[in-house]
Amino acid sequence: MRTGTTSHALRRRKVLVLTLATALAGVLGAALMTPASAVKESPATVRAAAAPAAFTHPGVLVGRPQLDFVKAKVQAGAQPWKSAFDQMMASTYASLSRFPKPRAIVECGSYSNPNNGCTDEREDAIAAYTTALAWYLTGDGRYARKSVELMDAWSAVIRDHTNSNAPLQTGWAGSSWPRAAEIIKHTYPAGWPNSGRFGTMLRTVYLPKVANGSHSNGNWELSMTEAAIGIAVFLEDRAAYEKAVATFRGRVPAYIYLTTDGSLPKTAPGSGLDTRDETVRYWQGQTTFMNGLSQETCRDLTHTGYGLSAVSHIAETSRIQGQDLYPEVADRLRHALGLHARYQLGEPVPGNLCGGRLKDRIGPVTEVGFNALGNRMGHTMTNTRRLTEQQRPAGSNNLFVAWETLTHAGNPN
């Protein structure tokens, strides 16, 4: 049996050979091409142009029409928005006495051990988003100033993330920061003098850690890609946006299986998974593949929920920015949400699915995807609807998900 190190080395050599072969094919192809003026763009080439000509602000996960819809519902005392708003305002994340805890180096090992600033950073980022939402929905400038205080504290200090969980930690915190920053920069009339410094922090500390993805479990790369696309919107960086969308398009089909994929799941570009045994190991030993199965289903539902949440968040941001990615992933996402909702609701797990046993729960992650697919696109999603309504009001997972009943329940915008 090969050791983990040997297997990793072989995989890297396979990826290198594939990369060289692809490059050589490109060179040979270029030599035989007709003049550029005679070449027509393929549909794939056309589809790859994802970045908007002009970015929409605020435009990371929530846009102004969505926020205005929520504000009207809360002011009217309508449910479930009013109870979701009350839940948010009663949380520690909305506290006006919160004191930020920035660090120059955030060190996060596996499962945040060691945890040197990991929880502080994630929770300060969620708090910045929470108080930004509170500002918009109440009009109380104290919340905007608290959001600014949190963002300014971190942008003045942080320089790096280290240890084994650094990419994931950067992805989680880097998903929440741009949501807060977009709302404050583009709706708070008193202004934000240090918004440029905050943008520099996102560009130099966060984006390099998340932009190139990861060949770890899929929730890593999807969370990192969520951070990358949010950062790209705030920075109005079209190249970073395009790169994030390209990563998304390669990763989602390799994270959620459909029977139309064939006998084995698809693999992400550069994964090096080119045998059945390698693919099965990567899919947690599962050998029976069914619509909606996730690469991490047989690991546990919690990590699966992270991945599905990030898919929904990325697609939601793309929709706000004018190119809706939901249609590209709709079948995968609706089947995935439905499959996992069914068993979380109590249906017996069949023996051919993870040996008849599923671990944990997917968490407060269904509102965004259900609203997009079930409400806006009209897909019948009975199990997902039941679970979503059962979990309301959805709170926070204290990592990168927060208040999605408030922001997305029944939101048509």
Side-chain angles (χ1 to χ4, degrees), residues 62 66-67 69-71 73-75 78 80-89 129-130 133-134 137 367 392-395 402-411:
V62 291
Q66 288 169 293
L67 292 169
F69 171 86
V70 175
K71 186 174 184 177
K73 291 294 186 183
V74 171
Q75 289 177 343
W81 303 276
K82 182 60 167 63
S83 61
F85 172 78
D86 291 343
Q87 175 196 43
M88 181 185 80
M89 297 302 289
Y129 174 53
T130 301
L133 285 173
L137 299 178
E367 287 279 13
R392 286 177 176 167
W403 323 125
E404 293 179 357
T405 295
L406 177 65
T407 56
H408 286 82
N411 201 318

Side-chain angles (χ1 to χ4, degrees), residues 2 7 11 14 215-218 251 253-257 261-268 271-289 293-298:
R2 294 179 297 180
S7 176
R11 183 175 297 177
K14 289 174 184 176
H215 295 309
S216 183
N217 285 304
R251 172 51 82 171
Y255 192 67
I256 303 170
Y257 176 80
D261 294 338
S263 61
L264 285 175
K266 293 180 179 292
T267 58
S271 69
L273 300 173
D274 53 13
T275 71
R276 178 181 176 81
D277 287 348
E278 288 173 340
T279 300
V280 167
R281 279 197 297 273
Y282 186 59
W283 281 66
Q284 321 300 325
Q286 178 73 3
T287 57
T288 302
F289 301 100
L293 184 75
S294 158
Q295 179 256 318
E296 297 185 273
T297 300
C298 296

Side-chain angles (χ1 to χ4, degrees), residues 200-375:
T200 299
M201 176 194 79
L202 293 181
R203 183 178 295 282
T204 60
V205 177
Y206 289 82
L207 190 58
K209 276 283 197 300
V210 299
N212 294 319
S214 163
H215 295 309
S216 183
N217 285 304
N219 83 87
W220 277 50
E221 187 157 61
L222 289 164
S223 294
M224 293 162 67
T225 303
E226 180 185 347
I229 201 168
I231 291 168
V233 170
F234 182 77
L235 298 176
E236 297 196 330
D237 187 327
R238 299 186 80 252
Y241 190 98
E242 295 278 4
K243 187 171 185 178
V245 170
T247 301
F248 176 81
R249 284 172 163 157
R251 172 51 82 171
V252 175
Y255 192 67
I256 303 170
Y257 176 80
L258 290 178
T259 55
T260 52
D261 294 338
S263 61
L264 285 175
K266 293 180 179 292
T267 58
S271 69
L273 300 173
D274 53 13
T275 71
R276 178 181 176 81
D277 287 348
E278 288 173 340
T279 300
V280 167
R281 279 197 297 273
Y282 186 59
W283 281 66
Q284 321 300 325
Q286 178 73 3
T287 57
T288 302
F289 301 100
M290 58 203 70
N291 278 331
L293 184 75
S294 158
Q295 179 256 318
E296 297 185 273
T297 300
C298 296
R299 179 188 184 188
D300 60 67
L301 297 190
T302 300
H303 286 88
T304 299
Y306 300 163
L308 300 184
S309 180
V311 172
S312 302
H313 292 170
I314 295 164
E316 193 74 3
T317 293
S318 78
R319 187 188 63 84
I320 295 168
Q321 294 305 322
Q323 187 192 43
D324 193 347
L325 293 172
Y326 275 119
E328 296 183 24
V329 300
D331 282 348
R332 295 183 191 276
L333 184 56
R334 71 182 179 88
H335 278 299
L337 290 171
L339 177 76
H340 298 89
R342 182 193 317 163
Y343 299 116
Q344 187 162 314
L345 287 166
E347 185 173 319
V349 182
N352 67 348
L353 176 59
C354 310
R357 180 177 179 272
L358 293 174
K359 179 183 177 184
D360 298 339
R361 303 175 70 82
I362 61 174
V365 304
T366 61
E367 287 279 13
V368 176
F370 172 68
N371 187 54
L373 304 176
N375 293 333

Side-chain angles (χ1 to χ4, degrees), residues 163-215:
N163 215 316
S164 59
N165 261 27
L168 182 59
Q169 171 73 17
T170 311
W172 282 340
S175 294
S176 297
W177 287 128
R179 298 177 205 160
E182 280 284 294
I183 294 171
I184 296 300
K185 183 176 180 180
H186 298 285
T187 73
Y188 183 48
W192 178 16
N194 289 320
S195 63
R197 187 180 74 195
F198 186 84
T200 299
M201 176 194 79
L202 293 181
R203 183 178 295 282
T204 60
V205 177
Y206 289 82
L207 190 58
K209 276 283 197 300
V210 299
N212 294 319
S214 163
H215 295 309

Side-chain angles (χ1 to χ4, degrees), residues 84-135:
F85 172 78
D86 291 343
Q87 175 196 43
M88 181 185 80
M89 297 302 289
S91 75
T92 59
Y93 294 119
S95 172
L96 290 171
S97 61
R98 186 181 190 88
F99 188 77
K101 300 177 181 178
R103 288 180 182 239
I105 306 296
V106 175
E107 182 186 9
C108 305
S110 181
Y111 293 93
S112 292
N113 183 22
N115 181 342
N116 294 322
C118 315
T119 300
D120 292 339
E121 180 189 29
R122 293 193 305 263
E123 295 191 351
D124 276 354
I126 292 174
Y129 174 53
T130 301
T131 47
L133 285 173
W135 141 250

